[in-house]
Amino acid sequence: MKDGITLKNLSIGYKTPLLEGLSLHMAEGEFWVIVGPNGVGKSTLVKTILGIVPPLSGRILIHGKDCTHGCEEKRFLSYVPQMEDYSHHFPATALDVVLSGFFPRLGRFERITEKEVERALYWMERFGIADVKEKPFNELSGGQQRKVLIARALVGNPHYIFLDEPTTGVDLKSSKRILEIIDTLHKEKGFGICMVTHELNFVWDYIEKVVLIGYREFFVGRKEEILNEELLSRIYQVDVKIAKTDFGPVFLIGDKHV
């Protein structure tokens, strides 16, 4: 196993820091989530690790190499953005979108090979969307679009997959299926997962470690240590209760699920 991803005293934001002094280590094969209220820097943290947003200060190491300002090791990272960050009018079929996951790894004059088409179809089969491969991406359901984008992230054999709210706006059945497939593939392939989510009730069974982000503060650790009533109430600035059930904990804000 390689050295994983290490953040050292990382500060993130856009001119003004959203978060300062974050240090953590994400080993390959671990399942992390980033949770917290809107506007505190969850998506910005992911984009900073990926190199989309430059850090304000601190260091990012991938497999022991300094990747703070870019490096070859970032080819091992794949990203599934929020749906609003992705064009719903993308003029391509579902298969075309999945195949576009190969583009960053192709040379200037290289073309998609038959082997790569087969690999794209393999992932579409795994997600149960091979039957819509010729349909325009913008005509797919929300759940199908999410699966297409996750399949796109997987075709390049990543070591880590970053997903930004992959179940938001998707019905309960599709949300559960997406998480089950991600978890199965995570266990089979051994890649690391880092997911931004608000759906604590959905992800509890799958996750191992948590970054809980508030307004200019954060907590990092195992889910049992971090996702407790005291810290969640502090971060969300409302009364959070955790009900224990036969199916696991249920997170509640007042009479609403977290």
Side-chain angles (χ1 to χ4, degrees):
M1 183 175 292
K2 303 230 179 180
D3 293 331
I5 298 173
T6 302
L7 310 182
K8 292 188 175 183
N9 201 30
L10 191 68
S11 294
I12 64 169
Y14 304 87
K15 295 184 179 180
T16 301
L18 289 167
L19 201 63
E20 298 181 273
L22 174 62
S23 295
L24 62 83
H25 178 73
M26 181 191 304
E28 285 193 25
E30 291 183 330
F31 200 135
W32 286 71
V33 291
I34 302 173
V35 297
N38 290 330
V40 296
K42 301 186 299 297
S43 296
T44 302
L45 174 57
V46 167
K47 291 177 181 178
T48 302
I49 296 171
L50 292 164
I52 299 169
V53 175
L56 298 179
S57 63
R59 297 174 67 203
I60 302 169
L61 305 178
I62 302 174
H63 299 161
K65 297 181 180 180
D66 193 331
C67 294
T68 308
H69 301 291
C71 69
E72 282 296 312
E73 298 300 303
K74 289 201 174 178
R75 70 184 186 276
F76 295 114
L77 280 55
S78 283
Y79 178 42
V80 181
Q82 293 186 31
M83 286 305 298
E84 53 262 38
D85 292 340
Y86 204 91
S87 174
H88 290 262
H89 304 291
F90 195 73
T93 66
L95 177 58
D96 289 333
V97 174
V98 177
L99 288 171
S100 70
F102 289 111
F103 292 170
R105 295 167 176 80
L106 293 179
R108 185 174 179 182
F109 299 107
E110 286 185 282
R111 302 181 67 178
I112 295 292
T113 66
E114 191 62 34
K115 184 176 180 180
E116 288 166 335
V117 173
E118 290 174 2
R119 181 163 182 78
L121 290 172
Y122 164 80
W123 285 115
M124 295 185 80
E125 289 280 359
R126 293 297 301 267
F127 279 90
I129 51 173
D131 59 325
V132 298
K133 64 183 180 182
E134 300 300 334
K135 288 192 66 173
F137 178 79
N138 59 4
E139 293 182 10
L140 303 179
S141 69
Q144 289 171 331
Q145 288 182 339
R146 293 301 202 292
K147 292 173 184 177
V148 166
L149 294 180
I150 297 170
R152 177 184 182 274
L154 288 164
V155 293
N157 289 321
H159 290 208
Y160 314 88
I161 300 176
F162 291 80
L163 306 105
D164 198 345
E165 300 192 29
T167 60
T168 298
V170 178
D171 63 72
L172 293 177
K173 182 178 179 181
S174 293
S175 294
K176 181 174 174 57
R177 182 59 182 152
I178 288 170
L179 288 170
E180 287 174 345
I181 295 171
I182 291 170
D183 184 57
T184 299
L185 295 174
H186 158 247
K187 290 173 179 174
E188 286 181 2
K189 306 296 183 181
F191 46 65
I193 300 285
C194 185
M195 179 188 300
V196 176
T197 186
H198 290 285
E199 311 283 0
L200 292 181
N201 292 311
F202 287 163
V203 303
W204 175 267
D205 288 340
Y206 309 110
I207 65 177
E208 298 163 309
K209 295 186 178 179
V210 178
V211 183
L212 176 61
I213 301 177
Y215 296 97
R216 306 292 294 274
E217 66 175 339
F218 59 86
F219 300 89
V220 178
R222 299 193 64 81
K223 64 181 180 181
E224 296 86 357
E225 301 167 342
I226 302 300
L227 297 180
N228 59 64
E229 292 180 349
E230 180 181 356
L231 284 184
L232 288 171
S233 296
R234 173 176 170 174
I235 290 297
Y236 282 93
Q237 299 181 4
V238 293
D239 189 26
V240 176
K241 297 296 182 184
I242 302 176
K244 295 182 179 179
T245 74
D246 292 339
F247 303 101
V250 175
F251 298 85
L252 304 163
I253 294 181
D255 61 349
K256 297 181 179 179
H257 297 295
V258 173

